[in-house]
Amino acid sequence: MGQHDQLPPSSPSSPQPAEPRRWRDADLSPLQLGAKVTLDDDPSPRELRAAQLDRIHRVLSTCKGESYLMWLRLDAVADLIEQHQCGTEPADPAADPASAANSAEFTRLLEPRTQLAAALATAMSISRFRAEALLDQGEALRHRLPECGLLLRDGVIEPRTFARLVFETEGVTDPALLAEIDHRIAEAIRASGQVAPHAAGQQARTIVTLIDAEGARTDREIAKDHIGVTVYSRRGGMATLEITDSAETIVAEENAIDALVKGVCPNDPRSTRRRRADAAAAHFGAKAFTCQCDREDCTAWISSPGSGRSAQLVVHVITDGSTLEGGDKPGHLGGYGTIDASQVRDIADRPGTRVRPLNLTDLTGRAAQQANPYRPSATLDAVIRGLFPTCTWPGCERPAHRCQLDHVTEFNHDHPEAGGATCYCNINPKCLFHHQLKTFGDDWLDDQIVDAHGTVWTEVTTPHGVTVRTRALNTWLFPGLGLIPCGHGPPIAPGPGDPGAEPTRTLTRTEAKHAYRQRLRARNRMEDPPY
């Protein structure tokens, strides 16, 4: 464009985008987003708490608003798909004469859907891939998952969760099965309290596997075509190794790597991320793995890769006994999630696999180890990590097999019968951070409830008084668990909790931020430049 060239004026008939101030000036007080609660220079504790709770409610209300706005966006996208007549192409045009006439459109390189995606990508300044994803989600909202779409509209789930549900159900093609799956997923999420995106995705995968078992088997066979190893070169002499294999194989390899990592002493200076990378290289025979503390009193005990504990590729699968006899009920693979019945049987048929019956009646009066009532029995340990596949703190995705089992009501080591019981009603997994937050944090409270139907729920209450209740994710694995008599009385004198000292930081938050920025700069120098 020349120095004196001017852009042509917009056509008066062209629709103009809404001005930003229209949002700014809107009256949002009915949504708890009116004027903020203000504070005096010297507020009382009660006034300060009220102001903090006001801000928390504003955050929660805007989250629901984002969900509704995304529903409006996807609803408009669904209208565009219908107006441009670019829905999903017919599976068999010959069987549908009405669609056969338009089948030629779908063979064009720039068929209608591609052009609509390009138009959205241009208008929104996003990639064509993201625009295609919007079209998929808009179509799912209108036709494939309308009941799940209402969850988004009502603020029950967030946009990221709806995208996960679309992904988990995209392999289902039978309309009748899809309608049932949509209904079951929406029903399960509404009945589960507050559900994080990863938990909603697991629920969807479980329901799809239960209802469309044949489709799940087909998907797994198709997915085997992607098994392989890929290497990506990076700047700075670095590279990335990516391995794709069956879930049980990858989980087993990861467990073997973690077994090496656990062998170093507490004084090893490397981060967990760096230790795992070094252990993985040793696992594949690229280099030796040793503790790097350089101390004479080092207590590390590291077995050689391929021998000892690192050679035992261990995975844990829980399933109904009928599945091993040819049934279609899915199973749960620890560290991964729901797997279909055929995959369960494939794992059970592997040489060296041990199948151990899990008898829930063992939890009646014998839920703790006989020699140590603080420690759960092997049965209780397996049940709890199966019932709660991740850390039970809302939003945390840490796998249960990497978590600590916590007594919700504190165990009394001096008088075990008076404190919190070692029982399914009082034990759940927590990652190290959230276990420490409960133990040493200010005014945090957690609880575990078994309702009248035998369903196990967990609760966490923040210092601001906000309580989040969530149903145990894998209730489907143990539908009758909560109806088993516990065999103990209510806690009378809970213990004092962890008697250890509160952990401290090696770096202040500011020092850690500066160190992170330095690592980020170093990483950016290794990555390809964005131009």
Side-chain angles (χ1 to χ4, degrees):
M1 181 178 291
Q3 183 176 358
H4 301 290
D5 291 342
Q6 295 182 350
L7 292 172
S10 300
S11 170
S13 60
S14 301
Q16 300 298 310
E19 297 179 11
R21 66 171 178 266
R22 294 183 182 178
W23 287 99
R24 184 193 66 195
D25 298 337
D27 179 16
L28 302 179
S29 54
L31 305 175
Q32 295 183 329
L33 292 173
K36 296 180 183 178
V37 174
T38 57
L39 291 172
D40 298 330
D41 293 338
D42 187 22
S44 67
R46 183 175 181 178
E47 290 172 335
L48 181 60
R49 183 179 177 85
Q52 292 173 343
L53 191 58
D54 170 68
R55 302 308 191 270
I56 291 289
H57 283 313
R58 293 173 75 88
V59 170
L60 297 178
S61 185
T62 53
C63 287
K64 291 183 180 295
E66 288 174 357
S67 295
Y68 179 67
L69 289 176
M70 178 55 80
W71 181 84
L72 288 177
R73 178 184 299 179
L74 296 181
D75 185 63
V77 168
D79 288 340
L80 285 172
I81 292 174
E82 293 180 356
Q83 291 165 5
H84 285 74
Q85 299 181 356
C86 56
T88 304
E89 60 187 277
D92 184 8
D96 185 2
S99 64
N102 297 324
S103 61
E105 279 291 303
F106 294 103
T107 64
R108 296 176 59 196
L109 177 63
L110 299 177
E111 45 82 36
R113 194 181 184 96
T114 298
Q115 296 196 50
L116 177 57
L120 282 175
T122 303
M124 300 174 68
S125 296
I126 60 176
S127 68
R128 185 162 63 92
F129 173 80
R130 287 185 59 193
E132 291 275 7
L134 270 179
L135 293 182
D136 291 341
Q137 292 174 33
E139 191 166 39
L141 184 87
R142 180 70 55 84
H143 300 293
R144 290 178 58 83
L145 301 174
E147 291 195 43
C148 291
L150 296 180
L151 299 180
L152 182 66
R153 183 199 67 181
D154 298 341
V156 177
I157 59 175
E158 59 178 279
R160 191 161 52 109
T161 303
F162 184 73
R164 179 70 181 267
L165 299 181
V166 173
F167 170 77
E168 294 291 350
T169 57
E170 65 181 359
V172 183
T173 57
D174 185 287
L177 291 181
L178 186 59
E180 183 180 358
I181 288 170
D182 176 37
H183 175 72
R184 291 275 296 274
I185 292 174
E187 187 178 52
I189 290 177
R190 286 192 185 275
S192 296
Q194 195 157 319
V195 181
H198 74 276
Q202 284 290 341
Q203 285 185 318
R205 184 180 302 173
T206 299
I207 291 170
V208 169
T209 308
L210 280 167
I211 295 176
D212 190 15
E214 184 60 36
R217 279 191 289 269
T218 301
D219 284 348
R220 190 162 73 93
E221 290 302 316
I222 294 173
K224 288 180 180 179
D225 292 338
H226 299 288
I227 291 176
V229 177
T230 306
V231 177
Y232 302 96
S233 60
R234 298 186 179 275
R235 297 185 62 180
M238 296 290 162
T240 297
L241 176 70
E242 181 180 275
I243 303 173
T244 302
D245 207 328
S246 66
E248 66 270 19
T249 299
I250 297 299
V251 169
E253 294 288 348
E254 183 183 32
N255 291 343
I257 290 169
D258 286 342
L260 286 175
V261 171
K262 291 177 182 178
V264 301
C265 83
N267 300 307
D268 187 285
R270 294 168 293 183
S271 65
T272 301
R273 183 187 181 105
R274 181 64 182 271
R275 284 197 295 267
R276 295 188 84 204
D278 290 345
H283 181 68
F284 293 118
K287 61 181 180 181
F289 181 73
T290 60
C291 183
Q292 295 186 4
C293 69
D294 294 329
R295 294 173 54 144
E296 293 183 0
D297 60 346
C298 177
T299 58
W301 180 68
I302 302 173
S303 59
S304 300
S307 64
R309 60 180 177 178
S310 66
Q312 298 174 4
L313 303 184
V314 179
V315 298
H316 296 278
V317 178
I318 299 177
T319 191
D320 190 273
S322 64
T323 301
L324 299 180
E325 299 173 0
D328 282 335
K329 291 184 178 180
H332 174 78
L333 171 61
Y336 174 76
T338 303
I339 56 176
D340 68 85
S342 64
Q343 190 166 4
V344 171
R345 288 189 287 272
D346 286 349
I347 296 173
D349 291 340
R350 285 192 173 195
T353 298
R354 288 188 296 174
V355 178
R356 183 169 66 90
L358 196 61
N359 191 351
L360 297 185
T361 59
D362 290 344
L363 300 179
T364 305
R366 296 193 298 272
Q369 295 180 14
Q370 191 169 9
N372 185 353
Y374 177 71
R375 299 292 178 188
S377 65
T379 298
L380 179 60
D381 187 295
V383 167
I384 291 300
R385 296 184 196 273
L387 183 67
F388 302 104
T390 63
C391 170
T392 51
W393 215 266
C396 186
E397 301 182 29
R398 188 76 170 175
H401 72 281
R402 293 187 188 171
C403 292
Q404 302 167 345
L405 293 187
D406 172 53
H407 287 74
V408 177
T409 299
E410 291 76 6
F411 185 83
N412 190 323
H413 290 270
D414 295 328
H415 303 285
E417 70 284 351
T422 304
C423 178
Y424 73 86
C425 69
N426 190 52
I427 294 279
N428 65 42
K430 290 185 178 71
C431 68
L432 177 61
F433 172 78
H434 286 120
H435 198 173
Q436 291 176 340
L437 185 64
K438 170 197 170 173
T439 304
F440 301 107
D442 299 328
D443 299 325
W444 288 90
L445 180 66
D446 70 326
D447 200 358
Q448 188 156 309
I449 304 104
V450 181
D451 67 20
H453 303 288
T455 303
V456 183
W457 298 77
T458 58
E459 278 187 356
V460 174
T461 302
T462 73
H464 307 93
V466 177
T467 298
V468 177
R469 174 180 282 198
T470 307
R471 184 173 64 177
L473 183 58
N474 281 349
T475 298
W476 62 274
L477 265 179
F478 309 105
L481 176 63
L483 301 177
I484 297 175
C486 294
H488 61 81
I492 300 173
D498 192 336
E502 180 177 352
T504 58
R505 294 174 177 267
T506 56
L507 299 174
T508 67
R509 179 174 286 277
T510 299
E511 290 171 339
K513 181 170 64 176
H514 290 169
Y516 166 74
R517 287 173 175 169
Q518 192 62 25
R519 292 195 302 271
L520 197 62
R521 293 185 188 104
R523 189 193 70 182
N524 289 343
R525 294 186 188 111
M526 290 191 297
E527 299 289 344
D528 292 330
Y531 46 79

